[in-house]
Amino acid sequence: MAVKIMIVEDEPAIQKLIAVNLEQAGYMPVCANDAEAAIRCVNEALPDLILLDWMLPKMTGIEFARILRGDVRTRLIPIIMLTARADEGDKVRGLEIGADDYVTKPFSPRELIARVKAVLRRRAPEALDDTVEIDGLTFDPVNHRVAVGKDRVVLGPTEYRLLHFLMTHTERVYSRSQLLDRVWGDHVFVEERTVDVHIRRLRKALETVGKDSLIKTVRGTGYCFSADPGTI
C-alpha cells in the first residue's frame, strides 16, 4: 500500500505543488485546507506522516500539532512543519511542540521529498521500501520477497505486514493492541487475540527456514522481534 501523507495547507498553489511531487515520488497525498478538515480526515484513518503549515486559518499549525501530540491515538504520527517563519525561536518552538522536522518556505520539492524520506526512515521505517536483513532473514518489500538465502518464505498478506513491522522495529516489545493499531490500522476493529493467531501462522512459516525463534513472546506484555538469543 502507498504511504499516505496528509498535506495541511491553505494556499491552493502550494498544496497542489506538494501533492503532485508526492505522487511522482510514489506517495498518496491527502489534502486538507485547515486544521478542522485535517481532524476529520485523521478521525477516519491515520496518515503515515503530516506536512503541516504553521499559518492556518482559525487554528494554527502549532495548535493542531499540540492536539495531535496530546492524543494517544495520534501522538506518534510524524509531523513536518512548513512555514515562512525562519526565525530560530520559531523553529525551536515548532520542534518543542513535537514536530519531527521544520522546512522553511520557499523550499524545493526535491528537498521536501528528501526530508519526508528521512523522517519516515527514522519514525516509520515500515512505510518505506528499504530491504531489511536480520540474522540471515531478508525482507524485500520491492519484490515482495521474504527469504533466507535461496529459500523463500511463503506468507499471507497479514503475516507479511506483521513481519515487516516487527523487522523494522527490532528489540521493541509491542502489545496486542499496539500491533493491531500499527499493522491492521486503528480504524479496523478486531479482537486482540487475532494477533496471537497471526503470530502463530508467522512462526509456522518462519519455521520452514529455521527462523521462528526470532519472534519472541514477552509474557504479560506482547511480542517483539529479536536476534538476541538471550531475549525472552
Side-chain angles (χ1 to χ4, degrees):
M1 295 179 64
V3 175
K4 183 188 295 183
I5 298 181
M6 178 180 290
I7 307 164
V8 189
E9 168 64 64
D10 64 324
E11 295 187 31
I14 296 177
Q15 185 188 100
K16 183 176 181 180
L17 175 66
I18 295 173
V20 168
N21 281 274
L22 287 174
E23 286 181 340
Q24 291 177 347
Y27 300 111
M28 183 175 69
V30 176
C31 299
N33 297 323
D34 53 40
E36 288 83 354
I39 289 172
R40 290 194 295 270
C41 291
V42 168
N43 286 339
E44 291 178 5
L46 296 180
D48 295 291
L49 181 143
I50 295 176
L51 296 174
L52 179 58
D53 184 33
W54 182 306
M55 300 300 294
L56 293 170
K58 300 178 183 178
M59 182 189 300
T60 68
I62 285 291
E63 292 171 328
F64 181 43
R66 186 178 289 111
I67 290 173
L68 293 171
R69 289 295 179 253
D71 189 324
V72 173
R73 178 173 172 267
T74 59
R75 67 185 179 189
L76 295 179
I77 301 175
I79 299 172
I80 298 179
M81 297 294 299
L82 306 176
T83 178
R85 305 171 72 112
D87 181 76
E88 181 181 356
D90 289 331
K91 291 182 179 180
V92 171
R93 185 182 172 197
L95 295 172
E96 285 182 343
I97 205 65
D100 296 274
D101 202 351
Y102 190 109
V103 179
T104 304
K105 299 176 181 177
F107 51 80
S108 73
R110 289 182 61 187
E111 177 192 3
L112 182 61
I113 297 301
R115 296 287 190 96
V116 167
K117 289 181 179 179
V119 170
L120 286 174
R121 185 169 288 109
R122 186 170 69 249
R123 290 289 305 276
E126 75 279 6
L128 299 174
D129 287 334
D130 295 344
T131 296
V132 185
E133 193 278 328
I134 300 173
D135 194 36
L137 179 65
T138 302
F139 192 108
D140 180 358
V142 173
N143 296 304
H144 209 80
R145 187 175 188 273
V146 180
V148 173
K150 295 182 180 180
D151 298 323
R152 190 162 185 169
V153 181
V154 179
L155 298 172
T158 301
E159 288 73 42
Y160 179 88
R161 296 195 306 272
L162 182 58
L163 179 62
H164 192 199
F165 178 79
L166 290 172
M167 287 187 71
T168 51
H169 297 80
T170 59
E171 309 299 335
R172 281 182 274 183
V173 180
Y174 289 90
S175 67
R176 295 178 180 87
S177 62
Q178 288 173 325
L179 288 173
L180 285 174
D181 285 348
R182 301 295 293 274
V183 177
W184 279 258
D186 76 316
H187 57 293
V188 176
F189 300 99
V190 295
E191 293 185 3
E192 290 189 359
R193 290 295 173 181
T194 299
V195 176
D196 299 338
V197 174
H198 290 283
I199 286 287
R200 285 197 296 270
R201 291 177 182 173
L202 177 56
R203 280 179 171 149
K204 186 174 181 179
L206 292 176
E207 188 177 10
T208 63
V209 291
K211 297 298 180 181
D212 52 302
S213 62
L214 293 173
I215 309 294
K216 316 289 187 184
T217 299
V218 181
R219 189 179 299 276
T221 305
Y223 301 98
C224 77
F225 188 99
S226 175
D228 182 356
T231 303
I232 297 176

